[in-house]
């Protein structure tokens, strides 16, 4: 292969500073790793004289990234100093609050390290929490257990609001038959299979089995959507709107899982009479739908659409309404109504805002909730992982639990392919769609530990059931999230048809909106494989 001449890369206009690298250097594993780690930043910015001579890119971060990380570190140090001054020893090294903060920071960077491998960052966050707990560095107990439970509920509100805002009314209208058929039927089958197997293999009562099945059957958009973005960018599956279908079904699955889980849990822990417990299901559904529609409709008129503070006020409307729905529904023992109300309120408000000119892919309120999720994501997954103590796990529960999960996934894949008969998808596309819905993550992390907060700690049988549910949820994330991401990425080019000519996105396809991730310390991964191929003569 003929060696290319040196490429001169200017660093700062006016300084004359340059760095040279040869084609061979840019093809080295170190160059590719550093590029993936630091990313490329072509936006002009101020830098101190001599910065790039001392810190050549991409082997060192740009000054912008260095200054950003330093600023975040100083702000974190400042915040810790303020909290320590107010609280005292709990915020000191070795205290529970300090340990919780350290856990979240470590989880953030653990997720970043995993993202370099193109695996979902949430796997790294969950693994970080699990490791720190089991090596004895983290101990979350006492009054902070209540804090963690409430933080988990706030994260649930953010997840569900994002799910509702990501549902495009036009896409759902065009897929009004396909989405419920391909979404709800396989969801019900997987939930029933998991409930049945856990009843006979793990000894869970039927109601605990259906509680677990409703959570396990949820699909994770946090894993699916990034993989679909990469495939769509290369033209795979866009002609038939397969990404739209997969994302829409993921949202429907999540809404169904959260609603059924809340209803079952409210019945399990209700202290009311039997007739009221029987009516709790219909009351939760009607109440959740009613409050969600009312709050979403109210968000159309309040605030007024020309108000200069419209965006932050709409964000607060959805966030406040969601928090009231979740915490309020639990206070009146109708836990299933709250999560359903959150999804419905976000969807209805998005529908009205779309009528006012906001597109689904350009919704600043959705961008704000992406910011919230960046804050709560490492907290949620790290804390979920930290609640698993490997030494206390029963090996029989782990083995049989994995068997239950795999059986549920396999049967769901088969049912999805069979249910897809008669659709416009060919066999390969049906197989890809079925594989894409095996990824588990966000809903399992948010709902898995909730029953452990409700059971009586003095009742060992109830504690065992709750711990089994949480263990199964963690196992589903550890197994299915990376497996789902890898299978989607590898099978997409083989099973989907690639569009060779530019095709306008099908109606309802969500383009990637600008978000806080664009200015985070984690840059979007470049497609290094295609870039390397373009360099080859």
């Amino acid at each position: 292969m003929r060696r290319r001449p040196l490429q001169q890369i200017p660093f700062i206009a006016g300084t004359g500073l340059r760095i040279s690298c040869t084609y061979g250097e840019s093809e080295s594993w170190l160059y590719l790793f550093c590029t993936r780690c630091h990313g490329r930043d072509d936006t002009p910015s101020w830098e101190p004289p001599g910065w790039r001579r001392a810190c050549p890119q991409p082997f060192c971060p740009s000054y912008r990234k260095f200054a950003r990380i330093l600023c975040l570190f100083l702000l974190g140090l400042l915040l810790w100093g303020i909290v320590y001054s107010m609280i005292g020893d709990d915020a000191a090294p070795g205290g529970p609050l300090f340990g919780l903060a350290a856990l979240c920071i470590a989880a953030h960077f653990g997720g970043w390290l995993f993202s370099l491998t193109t695996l979902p960052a949430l796997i790294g966050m969950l693994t970080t929490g699990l490791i720190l707990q089991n090596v004895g560095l983290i101990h979350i107990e006492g009054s902070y257990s209540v804090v963690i439970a409430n933080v988990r509920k706030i994260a649930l509100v953010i997840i569900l609001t994002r799910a509702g805002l990501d549902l495009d009314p036009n896409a759902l209208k065009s897929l009004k038959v396909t989405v419920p058929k391909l979404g709800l039927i396989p969801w019900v089958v997987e939930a029933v299979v998991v409930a049945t197997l856990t009843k006979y293999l793990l000894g869970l009562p039927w109601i605990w089995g259906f509680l677990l099945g409703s959570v396990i059957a949820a699909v994770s958009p946090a894993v699916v959507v990034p993989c679909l973005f990469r495939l769509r960018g290369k033209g795979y599956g866009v002609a038939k709107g397969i990404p739209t279908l997969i994302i829409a079904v993921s949202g429907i699955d999540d809404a169904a899982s959260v609603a059924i889980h809340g209803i079952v849990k409210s019945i399990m822990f209700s202290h009311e009479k039997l007739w009221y417990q029987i009516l709790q299901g219909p009351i939760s559904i009607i109440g959740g739908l009613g409050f969600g529609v009312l709050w979403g409709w109210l968000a159309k008129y309040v605030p007024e659409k020309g108000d200069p503070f419209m965006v932050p006020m709409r964000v607060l409307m959805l966030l406040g309404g969601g928090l009231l729905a979740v915490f309020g529904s639990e206070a009146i023992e109708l836990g299933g109504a709250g999560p359903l109300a959150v999804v419905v309120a976000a969807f209805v408000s998005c529908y009205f805002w779309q009528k006012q000119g906001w597109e689904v892919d350009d919704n600043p309120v959705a961008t704000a909730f992406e910011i919230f999720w960046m804050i709560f994501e490492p907290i949620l997954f790290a804390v979920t992982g930290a609640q698993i103590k490997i030494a206390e796990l029963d090996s029989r529960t782990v083995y049989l639990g994995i068997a239950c999960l795999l059986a549920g996934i396999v049967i769901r894949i088969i049912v999805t392919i069979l249910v897809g008969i008669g659709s416009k998808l060919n066999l390969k596309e049906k197989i890809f769609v079925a594989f894409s819905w095996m990824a588990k993550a966000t809903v399992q992390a948010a709902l898995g530990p909730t029953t452990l907060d409700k059971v009586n700690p003095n009742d060992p049988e109830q504690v065992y059931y709750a711990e089994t549910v949480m263990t199964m949820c963690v196992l589903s994330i550890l197994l299915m999230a990376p497996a789902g991401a890898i299978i989607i990425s590898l099978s997409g080019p083989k099973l989907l048809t690639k569009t060779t000519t530019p095709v306008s996105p099908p109606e309802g396809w969500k383009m990637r909106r600008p978000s806080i991730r664009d200015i985070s310390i984690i840059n979007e991964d470049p497609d290094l494989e295609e870039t390397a191929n373009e360099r080859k003569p």
Side-chain angles (χ1 to χ4, degrees):
M1 183 182 296
R2 183 170 57 88
R3 191 179 187 87
R4 290 192 175 183
L6 295 178
Q7 295 178 343
Q8 300 294 329
I9 305 175
F11 279 172
I12 310 173
T15 64
L17 295 178
R18 295 174 179 271
I19 185 172
S20 300
C21 68
T22 65
Y23 170 75
E25 290 172 348
S26 64
E27 286 293 311
S28 68
W29 68 269
L30 181 60
Y31 180 91
L32 296 178
F33 176 81
C34 292
T35 303
R36 181 177 293 279
C37 178
H38 296 305
R40 295 187 178 93
D41 190 358
D42 299 326
T43 307
S45 64
W46 178 87
E47 293 177 351
W51 173 264
R52 293 207 180 186
R53 186 182 300 277
C55 301
Q57 287 186 310
F59 304 102
C60 297
S62 64
Y63 177 74
R64 171 179 292 172
K65 178 177 288 188
F66 170 78
R68 184 184 303 154
I69 296 174
L70 179 60
C71 180
L72 291 174
F73 173 77
L74 293 176
L75 289 175
L77 193 63
L78 178 66
L79 179 62
W80 173 79
I82 295 172
V83 173
Y84 178 73
S85 302
M86 296 171 60
I87 297 179
D89 293 339
D90 280 2
L97 186 59
F98 183 89
L100 180 60
L103 172 64
C104 297
I105 295 173
H108 177 83
F109 284 98
W112 171 70
L113 290 175
F114 264 71
S115 68
L116 297 179
T117 67
T118 70
L119 289 175
L122 55 90
I123 300 298
M125 299 173 185
L126 187 77
T127 305
T128 300
L130 192 148
I131 292 174
L132 293 182
Q133 168 66 51
N134 288 277
V135 298
L137 296 179
I138 296 296
H139 301 282
I140 301 174
E141 53 190 14
S143 60
Y144 286 95
S145 299
V146 179
V147 174
I148 292 301
N150 291 329
V151 168
R152 193 183 298 116
K153 293 174 186 176
I154 297 173
L156 178 63
V157 171
I158 295 170
I159 293 170
L160 297 179
T161 304
R162 290 191 63 194
L165 293 174
D166 283 348
L167 293 176
D168 190 339
N170 293 329
L172 292 180
K173 185 177 180 180
S174 63
L175 300 170
K176 57 186 176 183
V177 176
T178 306
V179 168
K181 183 175 72 172
L182 287 178
L184 293 181
I185 294 178
W187 180 90
V188 171
V189 170
E190 184 178 6
V192 171
V193 169
V194 171
T196 304
L197 291 178
T198 52
K199 161 66 178 176
Y200 292 105
L201 294 181
L202 296 178
L204 292 183
W206 280 111
I207 193 166
W208 280 92
F210 282 109
L211 179 82
L212 175 60
S214 66
V215 178
I216 295 297
V219 180
S220 175
V223 177
V224 172
V225 172
C227 299
L228 290 177
F229 274 133
R230 285 192 285 269
L231 290 175
R232 187 200 174 278
K234 299 176 183 179
Y236 291 106
V238 296
K240 292 187 179 180
I242 292 176
T244 303
L245 173 65
I246 294 174
I247 292 174
V249 169
S250 300
I252 296 296
D253 268 17
D254 287 358
S257 291
V258 171
I260 299 302
H261 173 272
I263 293 171
V264 174
K265 191 178 74 169
S266 61
I267 294 174
M268 288 172 57
F269 298 103
S270 175
H271 302 290
E272 303 293 337
K273 296 181 179 179
L274 178 62
W275 64 268
Y276 183 75
Q277 293 183 26
I278 296 174
L279 291 177
Q280 273 188 316
I283 292 174
S284 296
I285 294 175
I286 295 173
L289 289 173
F291 182 84
V293 171
L294 176 62
W295 199 258
W297 173 82
L298 185 63
K300 174 184 178 182
Y301 299 101
V302 180
E304 189 268 329
K305 63 180 181 180
D307 193 315
F309 299 101
M310 172 187 62
V311 173
M313 293 176 73
R314 283 181 171 179
V315 172
L316 293 176
M317 280 284 289
L318 278 188
L319 181 61
L323 292 174
L324 175 64
V326 170
F327 285 94
S329 63
E330 291 200 355
I332 61 175
E333 296 188 350
L334 288 174
L340 180 60
V342 175
V343 178
V344 173
F347 174 73
V348 172
S349 61
C350 181
Y351 170 77
F352 286 124
W353 294 341
Q354 192 176 34
K355 296 288 185 182
Q356 295 177 354
W358 277 8
E359 295 298 329
V360 176
D361 59 343
D362 189 22
N363 188 335
V365 174
T367 303
F369 276 91
E370 287 186 12
I371 298 173
F372 296 152
W373 180 237
M374 281 195 65
I375 298 172
F376 280 90
E377 183 181 24
I379 299 175
L380 175 64
F381 285 100
V383 169
T384 301
Q387 290 184 295
I388 294 293
K389 298 178 181 178
I390 297 177
E392 299 179 4
L393 288 179
D394 181 10
S395 59
R396 178 178 176 274
T397 301
V398 174
Y399 297 145
L400 294 179
I402 293 175
C404 294
L405 293 173
L406 294 179
I409 287 295
V410 171
I411 294 176
R412 175 171 183 153
I413 290 173
I414 295 173
V415 170
T416 302
I417 296 173
L418 294 177
V419 171
I421 295 176
S423 65
K424 297 181 180 179
L425 304 179
N426 58 40
L427 179 59
K428 289 185 177 181
E429 291 166 341
K430 292 173 189 172
I431 294 174
F432 175 79
V433 169
F435 280 157
S436 67
W437 289 331
M438 66 182 292
K440 318 290 183 183
T442 45
V443 172
Q444 289 75 19
L447 299 182
T450 55
T451 51
L452 199 57
D453 302 328
K454 287 282 189 179
V455 297
N456 182 1
N458 298 320
D459 187 343
E461 187 177 56
Q462 295 291 309
V463 171
Y464 166 75
Y465 295 152
E467 289 180 345
T468 301
V469 169
M470 186 179 67
T471 301
M472 289 283 289
C473 290
V474 172
L475 288 175
S476 70
I477 300 172
L478 291 174
L479 293 176
M480 300 307 174
I486 292 171
I487 290 176
I488 292 173
S489 300
L490 295 181
S491 65
K494 299 181 182 299
L495 299 177
L496 299 180
T497 302
K498 184 175 183 178
T499 303
T500 55
T501 56
V503 176
S504 57
E507 185 179 9
W509 168 249
K510 274 177 41 31
M511 298 293 289
R512 181 178 179 273
R513 68 171 66 88
S515 77
I516 191 65
R517 293 186 183 277
D518 297 325
I519 59 172
S520 70
I521 63 174
I522 304 175
N523 287 351
E524 190 72 19
D525 292 341
D527 196 336
L528 299 178
E529 181 182 352
E530 289 194 354
T531 303
N533 292 333
E534 290 175 0
R535 289 197 184 108
K536 294 180 180 179

